Amino acid sequence: MERSEVQVVVVEDEAIIRMDLVETLRELGYVVVGDAGDGATGIEVVRSTRPDVVFMDVNMPVLDGIAATRVIVEEDLAAVVMVTAYAQRSVVDEAVAAGASGYIVKPFSGSDLAPAIEVAVARRGQIRALRDQVESLAERAQSRSLVEEAVSFLGETQGLGEPEAYAFLRRAAMDQRVTLPEAAAVILQRMREGISQKGHE
């Protein structure tokens, strides 16, 4: 991703540091789409601008940076780089636990910012790819489960063997122009409706 394509929000309660950070980022070629002086306002700015990266101060009024980071990461709004005056292990661990992709220590220089942004963007991409993979695996498992349940149902109610039940399902899918799991879901829904109607009779 080119620097001119990377959108950034700066959340920092000290106005001079915030302006310095915004100016430095712009000089480096990044697009600063918003800034805020406290964590709560920062979340709202991030929600409305949907940047790629947020530079988030740790100690701020209204809502601190750790709590704000947690919300931003949970809502998958952006990657977060913590800006801290402390390089203490406990602060770093807390930031990582909240979902931060990295951190820079005050006073920082322009040369600290670009690597932090690149790492944060790359990590967010990896996390999203892993999440998509997990969702895809879960969907496949659910689809397999639906088909197996429909085959079992057809065996019990229609007296079909497993190969015949699969063949029946494949024909139903072709006739309805849907996938095998979708055909299985239709058959199972009809079965449940049938049982429900019998229960009311």
Side-chain angles (χ1 to χ4, degrees):
M1 192 181 278
E2 295 293 320
R3 288 186 182 183
S4 59
E5 296 173 339
V6 179
Q7 298 189 339
V8 185
V9 164
V10 175
V11 186
E12 161 68 62
D13 66 324
E14 292 183 51
I16 294 170
I17 295 174
R18 185 167 73 246
M19 286 188 290
D20 181 41
L21 188 46
V22 167
E23 193 177 326
T24 306
L25 286 163
R26 285 180 173 148
E27 284 171 2
L28 289 168
Y30 295 104
V31 181
V32 180
V33 293
D35 63 87
D38 65 78
T41 307
I43 291 169
E44 293 310 313
V45 171
V46 171
R47 280 177 179 151
S48 63
T49 58
R50 293 299 179 113
D52 300 294
V53 180
V54 181
F55 278 91
M56 179 77 70
D57 187 24
V58 173
N59 291 320
M60 287 185 295
V62 187
L63 190 70
D64 68 54
I66 300 289
T69 294
R70 202 171 285 119
V71 172
I72 288 167
V73 171
E74 281 174 3
E75 293 184 20
D76 192 25
L77 300 173
V80 180
V81 175
M82 302 303 299
V83 182
T84 174
Y86 324 96
Q88 294 165 332
R89 189 78 228 167
S90 60
V91 175
V92 174
D93 288 345
E94 213 178 341
V96 170
S101 299
Y103 71 98
I104 57 171
V105 180
K106 300 174 192 175
F108 51 82
S109 65
S111 61
D112 298 323
L113 303 181
I117 288 174
E118 285 170 20
V119 168
V121 169
R123 279 190 183 159
R124 188 172 185 227
Q126 289 168 346
I127 289 165
R128 282 184 145 182
L130 278 171
R131 191 183 296 131
D132 290 346
Q133 199 175 352
V134 168
E135 284 173 3
S136 174
L137 286 169
E139 283 170 11
R140 276 206 297 249
Q142 188 181 9
S143 296
R144 199 176 303 121
S145 173
L146 273 174
V147 171
E148 287 170 359
E149 195 181 342
V151 165
S152 172
F153 165 70
L154 289 167
E156 289 168 12
T157 59
Q158 310 296 318
L160 299 177
E162 197 171 290
E164 291 86 3
Y166 272 108
F168 181 93
L169 261 183
R170 277 194 292 273
R171 279 197 305 276
M174 285 170 64
D175 291 346
Q176 295 164 32
R177 295 183 181 177
V178 294
T179 64
L180 204 61
E182 285 170 340
V186 169
I187 285 169
L188 289 168
Q189 188 177 351
R190 284 177 185 160
M191 169 196 77
R192 289 181 187 118
E193 285 170 357
I195 290 170
S196 174
Q197 281 171 359
K198 281 182 182 173
H200 289 301
E201 284 172 6

